[in-house]
Amino acid sequence: MSIDIKNLIFSYNRSTSLEKHALNDVSLSIKKGDFVLISGEVGSGKSTLIKHMNGLLKPCSGSVEVDGIPTHKKDIRSKVGMLFQFPQKQLFGKTVDEDISFGPANFGIKGNQLKKQVHEAMDLMFLDESIASVSPFDLSGGQMRLVAMAGVLASKPDYLILDEPASGLDAKNRKILFSILKKLNSKGISIIVVSHQISDVLPLVDRLFLIDSGKIVFKGSPDEYLRSTNLYLPDIPWIMKELHDRGFDVKFDIFDIDEAFYEVSSLLNPQKVDEQ
Amino acid sequence: MTGMFFSYIPGNSLLHRLDPRSKIIGIMLASILIFRAMSVYEMLAIGVVFSILFLLSSTTVKAVYSSVYPMRIILIFIFTIHLFFTEGSSILSVFGMNISYEGLLKGSTVTLRFIYLLMFASLLTSSTPSSLITVGIERLLRPFPLKVLGISSFDLAAMMSMSLYFVPLLHGSFNDLKDAQLSRGLDMKRHPFKAMYSLTVPMIRVAFRMADDLAMSMESRCYQGVHRTSIFDLRFGRMDFLCISIFGLLSAIIFFMPVLQDF
């Protein structure tokens, strides 16, 4: 049970003067239950890559399979949920309920089962049952985003792909979002987060893929990433690593500013910190 | 937004280098000819003119084809209507409807006219960036006393360029939206009505939001709608005079072809 990508090559506007290579010989495998981060600069091919995972784009060469089924079969879309950037834009239903049931209904779920799945999805996103009959356009921006997420989760995907899920969220809502993702992951759903912001997500993930100009330049665990010598690191782990490399006894898998402060101050004045 | 019909293809051909005004005048002349053409000879002559222009541009066959192809349903509709509803000597009968020789001829002429129009338009759009087309139209309209009607050619040009800039933006948003709904299991072939609904409602919201944002950003930069100079400097050169003259001469010949034939 996994998403398997082998030697994927893709270019936009193939065989025209405007041809643009987007992905070049990408191979990776994401197992069921994994929590994965795909990161890279803007325009590196992240979005192109994830659009292959549910068959929105078809490879020019190479293969993409979900649980052994090639992605040109439409049934795989019920297995792979995809949440795009600013998902509140996709809302259209007259009521929240209608919008959330759009996905599962398209995948052939009817009657009580449909109601149950919609209810569960709303529960997961902390949406109150009372808004089910409200127009989604009457909600606040944050709530609209939650409704859109529920609309994807209601189809009960095995794999959930999120494109820049934290963009436009404040720190508090970002925390809530990641705790929801963690909860979903503990239920056995694979989470694939695409983000150029590494530091938010890295503490949560099992594995990390870095893409640059359509090529995978790094795959491995967060720990391997932090120990790497030639890759760009977020500020806090970078400082800690520099300290560590210069012979100071500090942990360097730290992303939180408070934790970093504790580490450094304990280094400066071990006794005082112990007393505290 | 690449791969869209009527999109600009960068290049440095003769058509690319011409002033947009000469190209617009050329298109206008060509349109007059196309709508006047009746006989096979005239149609052929227009075809020859198109081929010459096509060779002078660096446009590809694919680009021309891709501007005609999306209109296929309308074209087929026009052709069929003429085919079945023109009175004349019957040559074939399908489902109790008569196809006349005149209908076949008229259908082909009218359809070909539309195809020609699209083809000439694709020559203009593939060799001229939309911003230059707008400036060209604005300059051409300037001598006309539109002020009397309460229209300023600058406002017209501003509106036109804004609408043109919105096309790729809306196209991009539409593709994003389509991807999102397809991911939620939308089947466009099986549920065309549902597809329409789930795409148009958010699209209208997006379009209004975009227009609102643009209006706000224009206002915050004190847009007054007064006479503004353009960043593009148009130059009507010797090549333009030459091309327009040749094209005008050719048009005149084709225009008077029916008269000449009588001699």
Side-chain angles (χ1 to χ4, degrees):
Chain A
M1 299 291 264
S2 57
I3 297 180
D4 291 297
I5 298 178
K6 284 193 195 97
N7 306 100
L8 170 61
I9 295 175
F10 181 80
S11 43
Y12 288 103
N13 298 311
R14 200 144 68 110
S15 58
T16 67
S17 56
L18 301 163
E19 175 159 355
K20 205 181 129 230
H21 294 286
L23 291 174
N24 197 355
D25 201 15
V26 170
S27 297
L28 58 88
S29 163
I30 295 165
K31 287 189 193 60
K32 190 143 189 256
D34 272 359
F35 198 136
V36 173
L37 168 67
I38 298 175
S39 191
E41 281 169 25
V42 175
S44 56
K46 307 183 296 271
S47 296
T48 311
L49 176 64
I50 56 166
K51 280 185 190 168
H52 278 90
M53 293 182 186
N54 75 344
L56 288 173
L57 293 174
K58 315 278 188 299
C60 291
S61 117
S63 73
V64 182
E65 287 180 0
V66 177
D67 296 347
I69 304 166
T71 50
H72 58 257
K73 300 234 167 80
K74 274 189 186 143
D75 354 333
I76 59 121
R77 290 215 176 122
S78 63
K79 287 175 187 277
V80 186
M82 176 96 78
L83 195 76
F84 286 94
Q85 214 172 346
F86 303 117
Q88 57 269 42
K89 278 189 187 165
Q90 75 190 33
L91 300 178
F92 69 94
K94 284 192 277 293
T95 62
V96 168
D97 184 69
E98 185 194 331
D99 205 285
I100 297 177
S101 49
F102 177 70
N106 279 333
F107 296 124
I109 290 156
K110 292 186 190 94
N112 279 335
Q113 180 64 23
L114 180 64
K115 269 191 198 141
K116 198 177 139 225
Q117 291 197 6
V118 170
H119 182 82
E120 279 174 7
M122 285 182 74
D123 246 14
L124 267 173
M125 299 319 292
F126 306 112
L127 288 166
D128 196 70
E129 201 61 8
S130 62
I131 66 158
S133 52
V134 173
S135 162
F137 305 129
D138 288 340
L139 301 174
S140 70
Q143 274 183 313
M144 278 166 80
R145 192 188 277 238
L146 292 179
V147 171
M149 270 188 89
V152 173
L153 286 173
S155 318
K156 296 205 160 211
D158 294 331
Y159 304 89
L160 180 63
I161 303 173
L162 304 101
D163 193 355
E164 300 285 357
S167 67
L169 286 184
D170 56 27
K172 187 182 139 211
N173 281 312
R174 214 174 293 182
K175 272 214 172 114
I176 295 174
L177 171 78
F178 290 131
S179 74
I180 292 170
L181 293 184
K182 193 115 197 140
K183 194 161 110 194
L184 290 172
N185 186 235
S186 67
K187 290 184 175 180
I189 300 174
S190 309
I191 309 284
I192 300 152
V193 174
V194 174
S195 173
H196 61 266
Q197 196 87 38
I198 295 181
S199 49
D200 278 346
V201 204
L202 202 60
L204 300 171
V205 302
D206 308 318
R207 269 188 314 147
L208 165 82
F209 297 99
L210 287 184
I211 302 188
D212 186 30
S213 323
K215 272 189 178 158
I216 296 216
V217 289
F218 175 83
K219 4 176 149 175
S221 66
D223 196 49
E224 283 168 329
Y225 168 67
L226 291 176
R227 281 174 202 283
S228 70
T229 50
N230 54 346
L231 295 170
Y232 164 81
L233 292 180
D235 291 347
I236 296 170
W238 177 76
I239 292 170
M240 301 313 280
K241 192 169 178 240
E242 282 290 299
L243 286 173
H244 182 88
D245 288 351
R246 285 168 199 206
F248 293 102
D249 181 27
V250 288
K251 285 199 292 183
F252 61 82
D253 51 344
I254 289 175
F255 297 90
D256 191 56
I257 188 91
D258 292 331
E259 243 182 287
F261 179 74
Y262 180 84
E263 277 291 311
V264 176
S265 51
S266 68
L267 195 68
L268 294 172
N269 199 343
Q271 270 173 353
K272 203 172 176 187
V273 175
D274 284 345
E275 281 164 22
Q276 278 177 355
Chain B
M1 73 152 260
T2 45
M4 255 181 82
F5 63 113
F6 290 129
S7 53
Y8 173 64
I9 303 168
N12 193 28
S13 67
L14 178 70
L15 275 193
H16 278 88
R17 276 176 280 138
L18 281 183
D19 189 293
R21 280 171 291 182
S22 19
K23 282 184 269 190
I24 293 165
I25 294 171
I27 289 285
M28 274 158 36
L29 284 176
S31 316
I32 296 170
L33 286 185
I34 289 165
F35 272 109
R36 201 175 170 276
M38 286 303 288
S39 68
V40 182
Y41 299 109
E42 284 168 286
M43 284 294 180
L44 270 178
I46 294 171
V48 171
V49 172
F50 176 81
S51 315
I52 295 168
L53 289 174
F54 178 79
L55 291 176
L56 288 175
S57 72
S58 52
T59 315
T60 55
V61 178
K62 208 175 162 191
V64 177
Y65 173 76
S66 69
S67 28
V68 179
Y69 185 72
M71 306 291 174
R72 64 197 180 281
I73 293 167
I74 301 167
L75 293 173
I76 291 168
F77 179 73
I78 293 170
F79 182 71
T80 331
I81 289 289
H82 280 97
L83 198 61
F84 285 111
F85 295 100
T86 312
E87 300 248 319
S89 52
S90 169
I91 47 167
L92 200 71
S93 180
V94 190
F95 306 123
M97 306 265 273
N98 281 326
I99 295 178
S100 62
Y101 172 72
E102 285 80 2
L104 188 66
L105 200 66
K106 200 171 172 199
S108 326
T109 337
V110 175
T111 316
L112 194 61
R113 269 183 199 160
F114 275 100
I115 294 176
Y116 271 147
L117 274 183
L118 292 169
M119 278 160 64
F120 273 99
S122 80
L123 276 188
L124 173 72
T125 52
S126 69
S127 68
T128 327
S130 55
S131 45
L132 278 182
I133 298 181
T134 319
V135 180
I137 293 176
E138 189 261 310
R139 287 292 185 83
L140 284 173
L141 286 177
R142 216 186 268 181
F144 293 101
L146 290 169
K147 273 240 167 71
V148 186
L149 299 169
I151 307 165
S152 107
S153 63
F154 304 106
D155 279 350
L156 268 183
M159 281 196 281
M160 213 151 53
S161 61
M162 270 183 259
S163 333
L164 283 173
Y165 285 131
F166 261 73
V167 172
L169 287 178
L170 289 173
H171 186 248
S173 306
F174 178 76
N175 278 344
D176 290 348
L177 189 65
K178 199 175 79 186
D179 280 352
Q181 306 299 36
L182 283 176
S183 303
R184 289 211 280 165
L186 176 69
D187 193 330
M188 302 232 239
K189 286 204 181 100
R190 263 201 305 179
H191 304 290
F193 180 73
K194 210 171 173 185
M196 200 107 106
Y197 180 48
S198 69
L199 291 171
T200 44
V201 172
M203 236 6 243
I204 291 170
R205 276 173 53 82
V206 167
F208 273 102
R209 172 66 67 86
M210 275 182 183
D212 208 31
D213 286 351
L214 181 65
M216 208 93 89
S217 79
M218 281 166 73
E219 206 169 305
S220 60
R221 282 178 285 169
C222 304
Y223 180 83
Q224 302 275 319
V226 287
H227 179 170
R228 285 157 56 90
T229 51
S230 173
I231 191 166
F232 301 104
D233 197 17
L234 296 188
R235 247 186 222 125
F236 209 80
R238 209 183 297 164
M239 206 59 197
D240 288 291
F241 277 113
L242 194 67
C243 287
I244 280 291
S245 313
I246 295 173
F247 196 75
L249 195 68
L250 272 175
S251 309
I253 293 170
I254 299 173
F255 193 82
F256 289 113
M257 235 162 78
V259 188
L260 292 174
Q261 269 170 8
D262 293 340
F263 285 108

